[in-house]
Amino acid sequence: MSTFRHVFVTVLFILLSATGAQSDALGIDVGTPVGVNELAKFYAIPPDGTGLPPGKGTAAEGKELFAQRCAHCHGEHLEGLKEVGGPKLIGGRGTLTSAAPVKTVESYWPYATTLFDYVWRTMPFDQPGSLTPDEVYSLSAYILSAGHVIDEKEVLDAQSLRKVVMPNANGFFSALGPELDMYRLAPGEPKK
Amino acid sequence: MASVTRQKEDDSAAKPSKDDCPCREGMKPRLDYNRRGFLLSAMAASTAGAVTATGAEAEKMKAPPGATLYDVPEDPTKEMARGVHEDGGYGTRSQFETETRIKAERPLDGTSWTYTPLASTIGNLTPSGLHFERHHGGIPTIDPSRHSLYVHGLVDQAKKFSVADIKSLPSITRRFFIECSGNTLAEWAKPTGKNVQVTHGLLSTSEWTGVPFATLARQVGLKENAAWVLAEGADAAVMTRSIPIDKLMTDALIAYGQNGESLRPEQGYPLRLILPGFEGNTQIKWLRRLQVSDRPFMTHEETATYTDLLKDGRAKQFTLAMDPKSVITFPSGEMILPTPGYYLIRGFAWTGRGRVNAVDISLDGGKSWAPARLDNDPEPMSTVRFSYPWFWDGKPAILQSRCIDDAGNVQPSRKELIAVRGLNSVYHYNAIQSWAVASDGSVSNVHV
């Protein structure tokens, strides 16, 4: 009897271990392993530029593309077209403390990498995901030079884009957690 | 100290007649379908047999969305009624129920939103078809057999999970609210929304079913420096947000179920990230990818938008949890109390920082407060229904509610909120809402 139990436990142990090294504490092993090739189609580009694709572009090239693919929503001069829904892309510097802040790529966005990532990801709105990396570098160069963030001659590529310093680069802080300002005795006033 | 003047039933005051108060059955502002006309024309049609309706009648006889129009017998006990399965096996709501989401006036419906009719939903859960929407690139149609969720980045073994894989894992079912961080955003400077659907309708509650992120994490193995996770949707906006891994390991769900069936397409079919209590946009719909990282990615949705600009020009990022909030849904904007008399004030309270612990009511614009009754058991990161019996004496009144959660957070007054945030924050407006009842019984949105 005790031998039987011993054998049973041993067999059970072997069976459980045989479910593979991948199985977790509950013995679950689900999902298909994937390699770098299958993941290559994905990107999300952080401020250090990881994942920026090869390619390059200039404001001059971007200007032409913008007129064809973007201006009907964002306006010929990137001024935004309210009735169509494309927001204003440049201007608004110095307005963030005013009663009517104008938040644009130029005045508000902290990172140029976000511009590249976003345009590549989802613009033009009516043909999402249709732009090549060269086109996205060009369009980014055009928007940034029109906003006087970079020189109109600058060539944007994976190296130069990550070095662009946005006007509002230091305008943000992380607010994870509760808003402690709600817990001052007299909000907005210095403590006695 | 917090005493409330609660009038006794006064028999000399005119008793409200049940018939002349549309509010009694839950006032429906912007009612598109005239219930009475609808009933009469349907009756006429049934008594006269096959009747060709006039243009106006045909208009009235159109079934409300989600309903099927049937003839209405004069006496349902005297006619054989329809048999089972005429609906094809999936039921519809009554043709007399007409609540709908209403949409924002925006140039592009692909990046727009719809509001839940909070004043007319019943109980605590929002019917799936009335759950508010906010999309940045429309509603994609996704075949679940061709959809995968990739989990990769700082993991030992990157994997993809089919929807069937996810459904094979142990699941959790819980009720959570989702609120858009832009809910109530037009109320900072002046009262703007005319009714509660518009002021607070970017709030809904569902019973969600899904797999905890921690369960998936064990399937891929997390590296030591894992600190953030990028969630990405399979919509045309390819919506992305970076989420602290703390949150994912605490209570996040990879959800596939909503109110007993699969997610609605507008809510992310076939997979959605549920982050209880976090702002709606982080709960990525049509979820296709989770990339584990040691830092946030600074996506469009956490820099250009969904950040809160303060008076000094700096902006707060990652304001993720929704603060305690509440709103009275009855009586509320655009409703009319026909006569002085007894009314049951009703509303919702919620907090993304725990459970609702208490709701207070003020009838005098915040001078005095008294506790409301909680109509369902408070659950973490979920809504609570509250009610409060009120005898309206016919004099002007300003009705308010405030939520206190079990972490001790108190819903602020508008003045308190603005003192800290200024007027440019856009998102996370959770101030106390005021509804003014005028002596003629009309109710409107005011600031005090």
Side-chain angles (χ1 to χ4, degrees), chain B residues 112-310:
Chain B
S112 188
W113 53 91
T114 60
Y115 302 97
T116 293
L118 291 181
S120 48
T121 64
I122 296 167
N124 199 30
L125 293 182
T126 311
S128 301
L130 294 177
H131 194 294
F132 84 87
E133 302 162 88
R134 171 57 167 128
H135 321 297
H136 290 264
I139 306 159
T141 302
I142 295 176
D143 176 351
S145 68
R146 287 169 49 202
H147 186 80
S148 297
L149 172 63
Y150 287 81
V151 185
H152 65 115
L154 295 177
V155 299
D156 297 322
Q157 173 63 65
K159 279 186 170 181
K160 68 175 168 192
F161 299 89
S162 67
V163 176
D165 286 340
I166 303 280
K167 287 183 174 173
S168 76
L169 292 165
S171 70
I172 279 179
T173 297
R174 285 217 178 113
R175 292 176 282 268
F176 299 119
F177 74 83
I178 297 182
E179 184 185 16
C180 177
S181 60
N183 198 20
T184 326
L185 67 67
E187 306 301 316
W188 285 95
K190 55 180 189 336
T192 304
K194 297 279 181 257
N195 59 56
V196 72
Q197 185 165 9
V198 170
T199 59
H200 289 76
L202 300 181
L203 166 81
S204 300
T205 300
S206 294
E207 184 180 85
W208 303 101
T209 297
V211 175
F213 172 77
T215 303
L216 283 192
R218 275 203 309 275
Q219 296 297 311
V220 294
L222 297 176
K223 299 271 197 213
E224 209 175 331
N225 50 343
W228 290 79
V229 175
L230 178 94
E232 183 179 272
D235 55 332
V238 204
M239 185 90 173
T240 42
R241 282 299 313 249
S242 311
I243 315 295
I245 204 159
D246 257 20
K247 178 64 178 176
L248 285 151
M249 298 301 286
T250 304
D251 55 4
L253 295 181
I254 315 304
Y256 51 83
Q258 177 187 8
N259 299 331
E261 59 186 348
S262 293
L263 300 175
R264 289 290 166 105
E266 319 90 271
Q267 298 308 325
Y269 183 87
L271 297 176
R272 172 181 203 163
L273 185 61
I274 292 289
L275 300 173
F278 270 25
E279 56 183 27
N281 71 80
T282 61
Q283 308 193 35
I284 298 291
K285 296 181 284 190
W286 314 291
L287 184 69
R288 73 167 188 188
R289 186 162 83 92
L290 293 168
Q291 180 178 353
V292 183
S293 168
D294 58 354
R295 71 199 76 173
F297 289 78
M298 302 301 177
T299 71
H300 177 260
E301 267 38 74
E302 56 213 29
T303 55
T305 50
Y306 301 121
T307 48
D308 312 331
L309 185 59
L310 302 182

Side-chain angles (χ1 to χ4, degrees), chain B residues 100-120:
Chain B
T100 54
R101 300 186 278 222
I102 54 173
K103 71 172 183 164
E105 293 304 323
R106 304 260 300 171
L108 287 166
D109 284 343
T111 171
S112 188
W113 53 91
T114 60
Y115 302 97
T116 293
L118 291 181
S120 48

Side-chain angles (χ1 to χ4, degrees), chain A residues 24 28-30 32-34 38 42-43 48 83 98 108-109 114 118 121-122 125 171-173 175 179 183, chain B residues 107 150 157-161 218-219 232 236-238 240 289 295 298 304 307 314-317 409 421 424:
Chain A
D24 74 355
I28 299 172
D29 178 13
V30 164
T32 311
V34 289
E38 192 168 347
F42 298 125
Y43 58 85
D48 70 6
E83 61 290 0
S98 77
Y108 194 59
W109 292 34
T114 308
Y118 182 72
R121 182 175 293 284
T122 185
F125 194 86
F172 291 80
F173 66 100
E179 173 145 37
Y183 296 84
Chain B
Y150 287 81
Q157 173 63 65
K159 279 186 170 181
K160 68 175 168 192
F161 299 89
R218 275 203 309 275
Q219 296 297 311
E232 183 179 272
V238 204
T240 42
R289 186 162 83 92
R295 71 199 76 173
M298 302 301 177
T307 48
R314 294 178 314 142
K316 294 202 312 176
Q317 256 185 312
N409 301 300
R421 302 254 182 93
N424 291 341

Side-chain angles (χ1 to χ4, degrees), chain A residues 2-16:
Chain A
S2 79
T3 317
F4 174 75
R5 188 178 290 157
H6 183 81
V7 170
F8 179 77
V9 167
T10 310
V11 168
L12 189 71
F13 179 77
I14 291 167
L15 277 175
L16 282 177

